[in-house]
């Protein structure tokens, strides 16, 4: 089995961290909404009536399905659907200059920060593992095991 180049391993670790960070952003944004909708549904069920409305939001029963995978991401300001190319961790934020392509409103800095905060520790962890592995391999080559003469 051939060893992976250190630079390749670091790049893969960073990309994996950025993807995990991007998913965490989805969870951070959607989980509270999902929990509120479920709470409203349960309250309506317990009260044996239609789901309560706040006057702004439509009843839960009339809303489109909302989970961690659907619907696709949208701009919180104009509702424009975000394309796949606009959803690349950190890179899209930089290319769009932190603004929605549709309405030009600022995109929260939280998104690239969460992605970076998960990408950088994975890189650091990999570097430490590689450093430790390198030390152990040098130690083994400097002190080969003794062979018993029979």
């Amino acid at each position: 089995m051939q060893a992976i180049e250190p630079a390749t391993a670091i790049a893969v670790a960073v990309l994996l961290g950025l993807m995990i960070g991007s998913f965490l952003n989805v969870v951070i944004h959607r989980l509270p909404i999902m929990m509120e909708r479920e709470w409203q549904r349960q309250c309506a069920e317990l009260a044996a009536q239609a789901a309560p409305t706040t006057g702004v939001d439509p009843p839960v029963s009339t809303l489109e399905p909302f989970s961690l995978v659907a619907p696709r991401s949208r701009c919180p300001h104009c509702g424009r659907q975000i394309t796949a190319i606009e959803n690349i961790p950190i890179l899209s934020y930089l290319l769009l200059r932190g603004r929605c392509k549709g309405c030009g409103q600022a995109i929260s800095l939280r998104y690239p920060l969460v992605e970076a905060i998960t990408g950088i520790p994975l890189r650091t962890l990999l570097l430490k593992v590689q450093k430790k592995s390198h030390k152990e391999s040098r130690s083994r080559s400097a002190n080969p095991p003794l062979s018993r003469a029979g």
Side-chain angles (χ1 to χ4, degrees), residues 79-134:
R80 179 181 164 276
Q81 200 174 70
I82 297 170
T83 65
I85 201 78
E86 296 168 343
N87 217 4
I88 300 170
I90 296 180
L91 182 62
S92 293
Y93 185 87
L94 295 173
L95 291 174
L96 293 169
R97 293 185 177 96
R99 303 228 168 250
C100 171
K101 191 174 182 178
C103 66
Q105 290 288 321
I107 299 169
S108 172
L109 192 58
R110 179 195 80 202
Y111 295 102
L113 286 177
V114 168
E115 293 162 358
I117 287 170
T118 55
I120 293 169
L122 278 178
R123 175 195 160 274
T124 305
L125 177 66
L126 182 67
L127 287 173
K128 285 185 178 196
V129 168
Q130 284 182 334
K131 187 176 180 180
K132 182 178 178 182
S133 174
H134 182 68

Side-chain angles (χ1 to χ4, degrees), residues 13-28:
V14 169
L15 287 174
L16 180 63
L18 293 176
M19 289 188 294
I20 291 169
S22 183
F23 178 72
L24 286 175
N25 275 323
V26 171
V27 173
I28 290 165

Side-chain angles (χ1 to χ4, degrees), residues 20-91:
I20 291 169
S22 183
F23 178 72
L24 286 175
N25 275 323
V26 171
V27 173
I28 290 165
H29 174 74
R30 293 183 180 205
L31 190 59
I33 296 168
M34 291 166 50
M35 292 172 68
E36 181 179 4
R37 286 184 178 187
E38 179 61 18
W39 173 79
Q40 287 178 346
R41 188 194 62 73
Q42 289 174 355
C43 288
E45 186 178 296
L46 285 172
Q49 61 186 22
T53 63
T54 59
V56 178
D57 297 329
V60 175
S61 58
T62 63
L63 295 174
E64 67 180 319
F66 196 82
S67 68
L68 293 179
V69 294
R72 294 200 39 188
S73 297
R74 300 176 187 272
C75 171
H77 303 288
C78 67
R80 179 181 164 276
Q81 200 174 70
I82 297 170
T83 65
I85 201 78
E86 296 168 343
N87 217 4
I88 300 170
I90 296 180
L91 182 62

